[in-house]
Amino acid sequence: MEKEQRTYAYFDGSNFYHLSKLNYDITGIDFSKIASYMLKDDEILKKIKYYNSPVNQQEDPDNYAKQLKFFEKIKKIPLLEINLGRLAKRKINKISILCQKCGLQFVESVHCPSCNSIISLKEVYKTTEKGLDVRMATDLLLDSIENNFDTALIFSGDADFSPAIEYIVSKLKKKIIYCRFPKPRTNELIKICSATRIINKDFVVKAKLTS
């Protein structure tokens, strides 16, 4: 009889949301169900760790309310631990464009496609998650060192996790499974993870949260 594989699932919430919408136009997933569908016969789900950042309530009250409702739903999911970060705004200042005539150029303003007004990029901000990828990578590493699991399912296409995963697989001898949607794929994760499993549409449909 094969030894039971204690399995943890790690969800990069924002990454998973956007890729599920891109591939299948489905959002609002029961993470316990989708993780269970990805298990092999000898793998037993012991813990689910979910990472995301709250939407800014003042800037986007509608999406904030929707996200809050979603968080309340997933709090009821067995084995689930929610880890929330924060969103940070930073100025764009300039962007790079590839002109067919002039080659690579850096611009500090753009034209509005509707009225052709010039918009300075110094007035444009990009919102990014702060510290969540580091926290997820740290948790993954610490859970490996503390021998909390034998196998980990990684639901993220972020290559920033690669150094931690490579160390865990090669040095700590744990199995890290890259659970990915059909597109896009992260070749670096495919290369260093123990195996890759595809999240097919049937799994996502069956795992959709009910109202």
Side-chain angles (χ1 to χ4, degrees):
M1 184 176 177
E2 291 187 9
K3 180 186 174 184
E4 175 187 288
Q5 295 292 298
R6 299 165 300 150
T7 304
Y8 273 33
Y10 297 81
F11 283 87
D12 179 344
S14 178
N15 188 277
F16 186 90
Y17 171 88
H18 290 293
L19 291 181
S20 182
K21 188 173 180 63
L22 171 68
N23 281 267
Y24 304 131
D25 198 25
I26 297 174
T27 58
I29 302 299
D30 183 324
F31 299 110
S32 177
K33 287 184 178 179
I34 198 71
S36 296
Y37 295 147
M38 303 300 291
L39 297 174
K40 299 297 185 184
D41 290 341
D42 62 338
E43 295 168 352
I44 306 297
L45 188 62
K46 296 292 187 179
K47 189 82 172 178
I48 304 166
K49 294 194 173 186
Y50 172 84
Y51 302 81
N52 209 339
S53 294
V55 173
N56 186 291
Q57 184 177 10
Q58 282 72 39
E59 294 183 0
D60 196 348
D62 290 341
N63 279 326
Y64 173 82
K66 290 177 184 177
Q67 190 187 53
L68 199 63
K69 185 178 179 181
F70 173 70
F71 286 161
E72 289 302 315
K73 280 187 178 182
I74 66 173
K75 282 180 182 178
K76 301 173 185 176
I77 295 175
L79 307 177
L80 184 84
E81 171 187 304
I82 300 178
N83 299 280
L84 297 180
R86 63 184 179 87
L87 294 176
K89 289 169 62 177
R90 66 178 182 85
K91 288 185 177 182
I92 293 179
N93 290 327
K94 59 184 178 181
I95 59 174
S96 60
I97 62 170
L98 187 59
C99 175
Q100 292 184 348
K101 279 187 177 182
C102 311
L104 184 65
Q105 301 290 318
F106 293 93
V107 298
E108 296 183 355
S109 62
V110 293
H111 287 82
C112 172
S114 296
C115 67
N116 209 35
S117 297
I118 297 175
I119 309 293
S120 171
L121 291 178
K122 292 181 179 179
E123 301 170 4
V124 179
Y125 291 82
K126 180 181 180 181
T127 303
T128 58
E129 288 184 331
K130 196 75 174 175
L132 265 188
D133 53 347
V134 174
R135 182 170 182 180
M136 182 170 163
T138 301
D139 285 353
L140 179 62
L141 186 58
L142 290 177
D143 285 335
S144 301
I145 292 171
E146 294 170 4
N147 195 31
N148 290 333
F149 65 77
D150 304 300
T151 299
L153 307 179
I154 306 298
F155 291 84
S156 176
D158 192 340
D160 288 345
F161 300 122
S162 296
I165 291 173
E166 192 166 18
Y167 179 83
I168 292 165
V169 172
S170 63
K171 301 296 184 182
L172 302 179
K173 307 303 179 184
K174 302 291 187 182
K175 292 181 182 177
I176 306 293
I177 311 300
Y178 171 30
C179 299
R180 71 173 186 87
F181 289 92
K183 62 180 182 181
R185 68 182 194 178
T186 305
N187 290 328
E188 189 172 348
L189 292 180
I190 293 173
K191 182 180 177 181
I192 66 173
C193 285
S194 308
T196 299
R197 296 175 191 170
I198 303 296
I199 306 168
N200 66 50
K201 187 173 184 178
D202 183 51
F203 290 164
V204 177
V205 169
K206 290 191 294 184
K208 185 171 174 59
L209 284 167
T210 55
S211 301

